[in-house]
Amino acid sequence: MQDLQYYDGPPWDVRIERDLQHDGTVYYMARHPEFGDLAGPLGTGNSPEEALAELHEARRSLIAVLLECGTPVPEPGPVKTVAA
């Protein structure tokens, strides 16, 4: 089984989506499609950079839990960053 450092090494595919809050302000959501639509780390922020930083921390936390539980961790897929 791999360790957390292994999963920090390769780049992950990232999807960034732009959305509006109830008050009309823009925010961004970043996720890794390797984890699927319903589960996995999610980062949000007022800018794409904030969302990516939060996504990185969320991914590390989730992978640490998965490794601790012995649950398989998805492998990073081909990188194709898409901003919507």
Side-chain angles (χ1 to χ4, degrees):
M1 180 177 277
Q2 304 295 345
D3 62 7
L4 187 57
Q5 185 175 359
Y6 166 82
Y7 292 104
D8 273 344
W12 290 76
D13 191 10
V14 175
R15 301 275 167 85
I16 300 174
E17 299 171 7
R18 182 179 173 268
D19 209 344
L20 296 175
Q21 296 185 26
H22 295 293
D23 64 1
T25 58
V26 173
Y27 73 103
Y28 295 87
M29 295 181 300
R31 63 182 181 85
H32 296 301
E34 293 92 342
F35 287 89
D37 289 334
L38 300 177
L42 178 69
T44 60
N46 294 323
S47 69
E49 295 79 15
E50 283 182 20
L52 285 172
E54 190 173 297
L55 175 63
H56 175 75
E57 291 304 315
R59 183 185 72 229
R60 286 183 53 82
S61 296
L62 176 60
I63 290 173
V65 169
L66 294 175
L67 291 172
E68 186 176 308
C69 295
T71 304
V73 176
E75 291 291 324
V79 174
K80 180 174 54 174
T81 302
V82 177

